[in-house]
Amino acid sequence: MNTGGRLIAGSHNRNEFVLINADENARIRSLQELSGQTCQICGDDIELSVNGELFVACNECAFPVCRPCYEYERREGNQACPQCKTRYKRIKGSPRVQGDDEEDDDDDLDHDGMMDPELVAEAALSSRLNTGRGGSPGSQIPLLTYGDEDDDMYSDRHALILPPSTGYGNRVHPAPFTDSSYAPSQARSMVPQKDIAEYGYGSVAWKDRMEVWKKRQAEKLHVIKHDGPGFNDDEDLDDPDMPMMDEGRQPLSRKLPIRSSRINPYRMLILCRLAILCLFFHYRILHPVNDAYGLWLTSVICEIWFAVSWILDQFPKWYPIQRETYLDRLSLRYEKEGQPSGLAPVDVFVSTVDPLKEPPLITANTVLSILAVDYPVDKVACYVSDDGAAMLTFEALSDTAEFARKWVPFCKKFSIEPRAPEWYFCQKMDYLKNKVHPSFVRERRAMKRDYEEFKVKINALVATAQKVPEEGWTMQDGTPWPGNNVRDHPGMIQVFLGHSGVRDTDGNELPRLVYVSREKRPGFDHHKKAGAMNSLIRVSAVLSNAPYLLNVDCDHYINNSKAIREAMCFMMDPQSGKKVCYVQFPQRFDGIDRHDRYSNRNVVFFDINMKGLDGIQGPIYVGTGCVFRRQALYGFDAPKKKKPPGKTCNCWPKWCCLCCGLRKKGKTKAKDNKTNLKDTTSTQIHAVENIQEGAIVAVSNVGKRSEANQMKLEKKFGQSPVFVASAVMQEGGVPRNASPACLLREAIQVISCGYEDKTEWGKEIGWIYGSVTEDILTGFKMHCHGWRSVYCMPKRPAFKGSAPINLSDRLHQVLRWALGSVEIFLSRHCPIWYGYGGGLKWLERFSYINSVVYPWTSLPLIVYCSLPAVCLLTGKFIVPEISNYAGILFMLMFMSIAVTGILEMQWGGVGIDDWWRNEQFWVIGGASSHLFALFQGLLKVLAGVDTNFTVTSKAADDGAFSELYIFKWTTLLIPPTTLLIINIIGVIVGVSDAISNGYDSWGPLFGRLFFALWVIVHLYPFLKGMLGKQDRMPTIIVVWSILLASILTLLWVRVNPFVAKGGPVLEICRLSCGN
């Protein structure tokens, strides 16, 4: 069989064969380029040992050193490894040197005959001739072929071919055996059945040895191809026997565990706090308050609930970690100079609903930051979902596409950050820092002027859209706008960029920009944001089908132009990327005052809780700033990690092995046969005849199975053959022969309102339906399938957004989140009872349980915050007279709470202000939004009464923090205001009673007073929010709160459950009243 002048080179790191042209014009790559295993002293390749394994000089650190340098170092040098300084041990075949006498190994040279050390080293060098390395400039390597070719002979039975005098690289050690007698001018014929060792070129068994060598290298190096079937978890990267590789082959990221000096005391304190909590409840239950039994019992029930909630929140933070990415290694691996970029394509999703509440200017800035991202332009496609079918959004996006032709080249030319023009031009910093281009100032001024004109144009569109014409909107060509009826309109798709040769002002290609508005008809449940995101999944699969997806809200722009590259360091990592379903970035916000009165930044959650989850199975999905693996969204299970072989009869009784083995042998036999057949057919190199015969059988088998598989896929994904075909493509891509018009017709079909009927969309595929917080549910389903997620926190925040900073909008936002948690709690997807037997870890389940249970904490929280006022008004208390033991116990409890918070702030990098604001808003949100969400969720699930959430306003600021002082009336303000008033009244009554009763009443008053002040201090930001800028509380709030507080007070006086019945108890004073 003729090889056609091609080479087969072994790449041990990638575990594959590489076929290379060997003609006179071809560039032959050395083993150094293919594997990266070169000697770190001389630069030559590291040869194979006699048994086919890669030569390893140091067994401690596996520092790459070739055999000649190893022999020279032992003979002439310091006899130690250059990296770990460990003394070299004698390897079989090496002569003894001074210092080897204490070793117990027998001198194998005594049996093999005395050899010159230099001859041994030179003989070892000669083994490179069969691994693809050329000799000295004068040497000629013979071409080996078979004289009589057999039809059943595989092509890989041919010997390796090398052209003469490649001249690649400079040799340090002279190549032996360069006599011209070994250089015939013609290829010699060889008999396949004959051992070619007689010819002087090794053995026919090289293939078997190579397979064993590759298997051992795969086990040692844990290096696989990116698109291979195997997977190695990132926990396996700490193998001490793993040799050093070149920079392009190193892992793309690494874990940075919290320092033991910080995390170990934190863990010990958690255990101590748990023990103190047990002693606390032991004391509380065994010491009831007899004269206020109802108060005591109520307080104990509330405290038990708080303890359970604390456990669910605390233990998922047991393994906090941080991560570090290596963007330079990503470029070395996937971006070779002079070759097309190997980075994976990414589809970016932007969702918007109401352009009057989510201004188009903010959406335009988000889109511009995506189009200017630091990523290959042919690998990025931006899809904007307009779920409100607003012509305002369509026109604004059209103008944005035109402005992007100027903005994108400006950003990439001068490497500016951030690449959202609104935030770039308004940032208060020296914009000339690190700028050396002489035309930067001139072009920046021109670009700022262009942006101001663009901004005026967008504002004019917004002003025009305030009043809708009676006949509806019309487009520029006079046709009516299809989305005039928001609830009844067809699907719309418009490709603005990435087609018809549209380029930027410098003549470069631009990323694709697509406008999508799904079809809506009366009588269909469109599932709000989750349904819109699933429509984008299908549209993008038909048009571009990138293997990865980035989801951002319309008000979250890309603040770090390398954000996608940061995510690809995890997704495309050959060692750990195959099992990652999504990479979540923390949310950071602009436009929030430095005090962050209502904890809008949510720093405690993003910098403490999410780091803890990253050490278990990964963070939860928070709805934006997340890069997904498309296959994970399709409901596929995570790749399984191959388990090591089980115990053998050497360590377990024979009956145990037989019992377990015989029972499993029959079940796994057929599966193993299929697996072996699949592996064999995927790795074996066939001859031409075998390929042709196997192709007929394979085609017939595939034809029989294709119909059944197609029906299953269509039942799962829907009746779109183009989408079904794209769904099974792990690496993405669209059919080459499909025309754009055909794809657009198919895209219109997949966004029709009835496409999801009788499919698994929203149940097992895509964003999961059943809750307004579809993000928690979607991430939970992926984790149940065995996937893991990653939390990425680059030094420069990847995304930034705007937050509702006034009190009313903030409470409505929290209300929507809590309502979604209640819906999940009352659904079949509740993590308390769903997902067992899958891949969800227990501590990860604790976190998900806490995320759906926390709204129920509002009930005991409101009751517990009311107890101080009740105690002050009645003179009772929830604890009996405190003993020394009880006093010490209470002090230890408060100290453990405080120290736990301090240690969390240390390893999480959170300031005390952020931590305290989070504690305050936990009480404010629990007493207002969580309570209303609980009742709304019960009405929605049990009674079918649906409640629409309010989209939080994201208006552009007219002044510094002007939104902070805007007051909007909402019923959410009533419960916290009532708690404030009754506790303030209780403090006044209690102090007045102590003043009138004398000095002895101040001692019992202290505990009740501290309890009431604790509630008032936590509600203080709420009080400031109601006062607003005018320092005056709205009248309606005062009236409602005083009325409610008065009713509760009068009811308490009329029906006091803590006063003994049967009339007053009269004590005998032993005085004669008759006299």
Side-chain angles (χ1 to χ4, degrees):
M1 181 180 293
N2 188 11
T3 61
R6 292 175 295 179
L7 297 176
I8 299 178
S11 176
H12 55 272
N13 276 346
R14 299 180 63 179
N15 195 15
E16 63 179 2
F17 287 110
V18 181
L19 200 63
I20 307 174
N21 291 329
D23 54 14
E24 57 183 2
N25 296 324
R27 178 180 181 270
I28 305 302
R29 295 191 175 190
S30 66
L31 189 64
Q32 175 185 3
E33 290 181 276
L34 296 175
S35 66
Q37 295 300 304
T38 58
C39 177
Q40 299 298 309
I41 297 178
C42 65
D44 285 351
D45 297 324
I46 298 177
E47 66 278 359
L48 303 179
S49 59
V50 178
N51 56 2
E53 294 183 1
L54 192 70
F55 176 77
V56 179
C58 178
N59 293 327
E60 298 295 330
C61 66
F63 185 71
V65 174
C66 64
R67 188 67 174 259
C69 291
Y70 162 78
E71 299 288 356
Y72 179 83
E73 190 69 23
R74 279 174 46 84
R75 185 177 67 251
E76 305 292 342
N78 54 12
Q79 302 181 2
C81 174
Q83 177 170 274
C84 64
K85 307 303 180 184
T86 303
R87 188 181 184 277
Y88 279 137
K89 293 183 179 181
R90 189 180 66 85
I91 299 177
K92 185 176 181 180
S94 300
R96 289 186 180 275
V97 296
Q98 185 177 2
D100 289 341
D101 297 334
E102 64 271 13
E103 297 181 2
D104 298 331
D105 298 340
D106 295 333
D107 193 353
D108 51 285
L109 297 181
D110 296 338
H111 307 281
D112 297 337
M114 297 301 295
M115 297 178 65
D116 189 353
E118 294 185 3
L119 294 179
V120 173
E122 298 296 342
L125 270 177
S126 65
S127 64
R128 301 181 194 177
L129 299 178
N130 291 330
T131 60
R133 178 84 176 200
S136 61
S139 63
Q140 297 286 336
I141 309 301
L143 176 65
L144 304 183
T145 60
Y146 293 108
D148 300 323
E149 296 180 353
D150 190 1
D151 292 341
D152 297 330
M153 188 67 61
Y154 295 110
S155 60
D156 54 13
R157 293 286 300 274
H158 292 284
L160 298 177
I161 338 166
L162 287 172
S165 184
T166 60
Y168 180 84
N170 297 321
R171 301 188 60 90
V172 176
H173 306 288
F177 315 121
T178 57
D179 197 340
S180 60
S181 61
Y182 292 100
S185 58
Q186 247 173 310
R188 295 185 299 169
S189 300
M190 304 182 67
V191 181
Q193 291 79 10
K194 190 174 182 180
D195 191 348
I196 61 174
E198 299 182 10
Y199 296 91
Y201 298 104
S203 172
V204 173
W206 70 270
K207 178 181 178 182
D208 296 332
R209 293 200 306 268
M210 182 63 69
E211 293 295 332
V212 175
W213 169 73
K214 288 193 298 183
K215 183 178 180 181
R216 292 178 179 177
Q217 289 302 303
E219 294 174 355
K220 283 185 178 182
L221 303 176
H222 300 281
V223 175
I224 60 173
K225 292 180 64 177
H226 177 64
D227 55 350
F231 172 78
N232 293 297
D233 202 359
D234 52 1
E235 285 84 357
D236 299 332
L237 297 178
D238 297 327
D239 187 1
D241 296 331
M242 183 177 179
M244 290 182 59
M245 297 178 291
D246 62 287
E247 189 73 11
R249 301 260 179 204
Q250 293 286 348
L252 303 179
S253 64
R254 67 165 180 166
K255 292 181 180 179
L256 298 175
I258 307 299
R259 288 188 299 177
S260 58
S261 59
R262 292 185 176 181
I263 196 62
N264 288 339
Y266 174 70
R267 292 171 177 168
M268 294 176 59
L269 185 61
I270 292 175
L271 298 178
C272 293
R273 182 174 172 181
L274 192 62
I276 295 171
L277 199 61
C278 295
L279 296 176
F280 172 80
F281 283 115
H282 179 267
Y283 171 81
R284 292 283 282 132
I285 295 174
L286 296 182
H287 294 79
V289 182
N290 295 324
D291 59 343
Y293 191 82
L295 285 175
W296 168 82
L297 182 61
T298 303
S299 64
V300 170
I301 294 174
C302 294
E303 289 164 357
I304 291 176
W305 180 271
F306 296 150
V308 174
S309 178
W310 171 77
I311 290 174
L312 294 175
D313 178 71
Q314 187 66 66
F315 280 92
K317 296 182 283 189
W318 188 263
Y319 300 103
I321 63 170
Q322 296 177 345
R323 295 184 185 268
E324 184 181 22
T325 57
Y326 301 100
L327 299 179
D328 51 346
R329 295 178 182 177
L330 181 73
S331 298
L332 286 173
R333 183 184 291 267
Y334 295 108
E335 293 182 303
K336 303 294 180 61
E337 185 176 358
Q339 299 180 8
S341 175
L343 294 174
V346 179
D347 291 338
V348 186
F349 296 166
V350 181
S351 58
T352 181
V353 181
D354 189 351
L356 299 181
K357 294 182 178 179
E358 299 169 328
L361 185 62
I362 294 181
T363 305
N365 275 269
T366 301
V367 172
L368 289 171
S369 67
I370 295 170
L371 298 178
V373 72
D374 184 9
Y375 208 74
V377 292
D378 59 326
K379 307 286 186 178
V380 179
C382 179
Y383 294 84
V384 180
S385 171
D386 179 17
D387 217 31
M391 187 174 177
L392 172 59
T393 304
F394 180 84
E395 293 292 342
L397 202 61
S398 177
D399 293 337
T400 303
E402 184 63 27
F403 179 73
R405 299 180 62 246
K406 304 176 183 178
W407 174 253
V408 172
F410 172 76
C411 294
K412 294 186 176 181
K413 180 178 181 180
F414 300 108
S415 302
I416 66 169
E417 296 285 356
R419 298 189 176 180
E422 180 69 23
W423 302 104
Y424 170 70
F425 289 119
C426 73
Q427 60 184 351
K428 298 179 180 179
M429 60 173 293
D430 183 12
Y431 64 87
L432 296 177
K433 186 178 181 180
N434 300 326
K435 296 295 184 295
V436 296
H437 203 283
S439 63
F440 172 70
V441 176
R442 183 180 65 257
E443 294 191 27
R444 184 182 185 276
R445 291 174 181 172
M447 183 56 61
K448 186 175 183 180
R449 183 173 59 254
D450 292 339
Y451 175 68
E452 290 174 351
E453 295 175 356
F454 166 75
K455 189 174 180 180
V456 170
K457 187 182 299 185
I458 297 296
N459 292 337
L461 291 175
V462 175
T464 305
Q466 298 297 324
K467 186 177 181 180
V468 182
E470 295 181 359
E471 66 278 6
W473 298 106
T474 57
M475 304 182 69
Q476 294 180 357
D477 58 357
T479 58
W481 170 246
N484 280 326
N485 190 342
V486 179
R487 295 178 177 85
D488 187 4
H489 64 83
M492 296 177 284
I493 298 176
Q494 173 68 51
V495 181
F496 286 109
L497 296 176
H499 71 100
S500 302
V502 178
R503 297 180 178 271
D504 61 22
T505 55
D506 291 346
N508 298 319
E509 186 180 355
L510 288 169
R512 180 176 298 183
L513 177 61
V514 183
Y515 169 87
V516 179
S517 182
R518 57 179 174 150
E519 181 186 14
K520 286 190 176 181
R521 301 298 180 188
F524 288 90
D525 188 359
H526 302 290
H527 303 288
K528 299 179 180 178
K529 181 181 177 180
M533 300 307 296
N534 286 337
S535 297
L536 287 184
I537 292 179
R538 297 191 293 269
V539 168
S540 62
V542 172
L543 298 181
S544 55
N545 196 30
Y548 303 105
L549 312 173
L550 169 59
N551 155 235
V552 294
D553 287 342
C554 65
D555 62 320
H556 275 70
Y557 65 90
I558 297 181
N559 184 65
N560 185 349
S561 62
K562 298 183 182 296
I564 299 181
R565 292 178 179 268
E566 295 276 356
M568 290 300 108
C569 286
F570 300 103
M571 288 293 194
M572 300 185 67
D573 193 293
Q575 285 83 22
S576 60
K578 287 294 182 179
K579 208 172 182 180
V580 176
C581 58
Y582 61 83
V583 177
Q584 178 65 61
F585 292 89
Q587 292 186 17
R588 301 297 187 224
F589 301 98
D590 288 315
I592 300 177
D593 65 312
R594 61 185 182 90
H595 299 291
D596 193 12
R597 183 182 296 172
Y598 310 120
S599 188
N600 279 285
R601 294 190 179 94
N602 215 353
V603 177
V604 173
F605 173 76
F606 287 111
D607 289 7
I608 295 180
N609 295 66
M610 298 287 267
K611 287 180 181 178
L613 292 176
D614 197 17
I616 306 172
Q617 198 175 347
I620 63 176
Y621 169 44
V622 297
T624 183
C626 187
V627 178
F628 288 96
R629 184 182 300 275
R630 187 183 286 269
Q631 293 294 312
L633 280 171
Y634 285 163
F636 295 111
D637 291 333
K640 303 293 183 181
K641 179 182 177 182
K642 293 183 179 180
K643 296 182 179 180
K647 303 290 184 179
T648 62
C649 296
N650 296 330
C651 52
W652 287 101
K654 186 177 295 184
W655 62 268
C656 181
C657 293
L658 293 175
C659 178
C660 299
L662 292 177
R663 187 165 53 189
K664 296 181 180 179
K665 187 174 181 180
K667 296 181 180 179
T668 58
K669 186 175 181 180
K671 182 178 180 181
D672 292 341
N673 291 337
K674 292 180 181 179
T675 304
N676 293 335
L677 179 61
K678 180 180 178 181
D679 294 341
T680 303
T681 56
S682 61
T683 57
Q684 194 174 16
I685 303 177
H686 296 279
V688 175
E689 292 80 6
N690 293 340
I691 291 177
Q692 292 175 352
E693 295 176 1
I696 299 174
V697 178
V699 169
S700 62
N701 293 335
V702 170
K704 294 178 181 179
R705 296 193 300 264
S706 61
E707 295 182 2
N709 293 337
Q710 184 71 15
M711 293 181 62
K712 291 181 180 179
L713 291 174
E714 288 182 356
K715 185 178 180 180
K716 180 178 181 180
F717 293 107
Q719 301 292 325
S720 173
V722 175
F723 176 77
V724 170
S726 68
V728 297
M729 301 170 62
Q730 294 187 6
E731 299 302 321
V734 296
R736 296 181 180 180
N737 55 352
S739 63
C742 177
L743 294 179
L744 285 175
R745 283 195 299 268
E746 197 73 19
I748 289 294
Q749 177 189 352
V750 298
I751 63 173
S752 60
C753 54
Y755 182 82
E756 297 180 354
D757 293 345
K758 298 180 181 180
T759 65
E760 295 185 6
W761 283 100
K763 302 172 185 176
E764 299 294 335
I765 304 175
W767 270 258
I768 307 301
Y769 303 151
S771 171
V772 295
T773 53
E774 69 288 330
D775 45 7
I776 296 178
L777 204 52
T778 303
F780 173 65
K781 292 281 287 188
M782 292 189 207
H783 284 142
C784 288
H785 281 283
W787 296 94
R788 72 151 297 134
S789 54
V790 170
Y791 194 52
C792 181
M793 296 183 64
K795 294 181 179 179
R796 180 179 180 87
F799 303 91
K800 278 191 175 182
S802 58
I805 64 175
N806 69 75
L807 180 60
S808 301
D809 286 345
R810 172 65 166 152
L811 290 178
H812 275 287
Q813 184 186 56
V814 176
L815 170 66
R816 185 177 70 88
W817 296 342
L819 177 60
S821 296
V822 175
E823 291 173 343
I824 298 174
F825 181 85
L826 299 175
S827 70
R828 71 181 186 91
H829 291 117
C830 179
I832 298 177
W833 51 72
Y834 181 85
Y836 291 95
L840 190 65
K841 298 183 179 180
W842 276 99
L843 289 181
E844 192 79 13
R845 183 178 297 275
F846 276 17
S847 175
Y848 277 110
I849 293 176
N850 184 50
S851 66
V852 301
V853 166
Y854 76 90
W856 296 84
T857 309
S858 60
L859 295 177
L861 180 63
I862 290 179
V863 173
Y864 206 70
C865 289
S866 303
L867 290 179
V870 175
C871 293
L872 289 169
L873 292 174
T874 60
K876 310 295 183 181
F877 200 39
I878 59 177
V879 295
E881 185 177 351
I882 299 179
S883 61
N884 292 333
Y885 170 75
I888 294 175
L889 201 59
F890 286 137
M891 290 179 61
L892 289 176
M893 175 62 67
F894 284 111
M895 289 176 60
S896 64
I897 294 174
V899 177
T900 303
I902 292 173
L903 292 179
E904 284 184 352
M905 287 186 284
Q906 283 186 347
W907 62 256
V910 177
I912 189 171
D913 291 340
D914 294 319
W915 181 84
W916 176 238
R917 294 302 184 200
N918 182 77
E919 294 293 317
Q920 288 179 316
F921 198 79
W922 177 76
V923 177
I924 295 172
S928 57
S929 299
H930 298 172
L931 179 66
F932 280 82
L934 184 59
F935 286 107
Q936 288 184 12
L938 291 174
L939 288 174
K940 182 176 181 180
V941 176
L942 302 180
V945 180
D946 195 3
T947 55
N948 295 323
F949 68 89
T950 303
V951 179
T952 51
S953 176
K954 303 174 178 67
D957 52 344
D958 296 327
F961 316 120
S962 59
E963 251 192 293
L964 179 64
Y965 305 107
I966 297 177
F967 177 80
K968 300 177 183 179
W969 159 248
T970 173
T971 53
L972 299 177
L973 303 176
I974 295 178
T977 307
T978 304
L979 289 177
L980 263 175
I981 292 177
I982 63 175
N983 277 279
I984 292 175
I985 293 176
V987 170
I988 296 174
V989 172
V991 173
S992 301
D993 183 69
I995 293 175
S996 61
N997 291 335
Y999 177 78
D1000 294 337
S1001 61
W1002 284 98
L1005 178 65
F1006 177 76
R1008 306 166 196 154
L1009 208 57
F1010 175 80
F1011 200 7
L1013 291 176
W1014 177 87
V1015 176
I1016 295 173
V1017 169
H1018 277 76
L1019 293 175
Y1020 175 72
F1022 175 81
L1023 178 62
K1024 289 192 67 175
M1026 288 192 304
L1027 293 177
K1029 198 170 185 179
Q1030 295 78 19
D1031 296 331
R1032 182 176 62 86
M1033 184 180 298
T1035 305
I1036 189 172
I1037 297 294
V1038 177
V1039 172
W1040 272 99
S1041 301
I1042 292 179
L1043 179 62
L1044 187 58
S1046 302
I1047 293 174
L1048 293 176
T1049 305
L1050 293 174
L1051 186 63
W1052 186 271
V1053 173
R1054 180 67 183 86
V1055 186
N1056 192 344
F1058 305 117
V1059 175
K1061 305 300 181 182
V1065 179
L1066 301 178
E1067 296 183 359
I1068 300 176
C1069 60
R1070 297 180 182 180
L1071 295 177
S1072 179
C1073 297
N1075 297 332

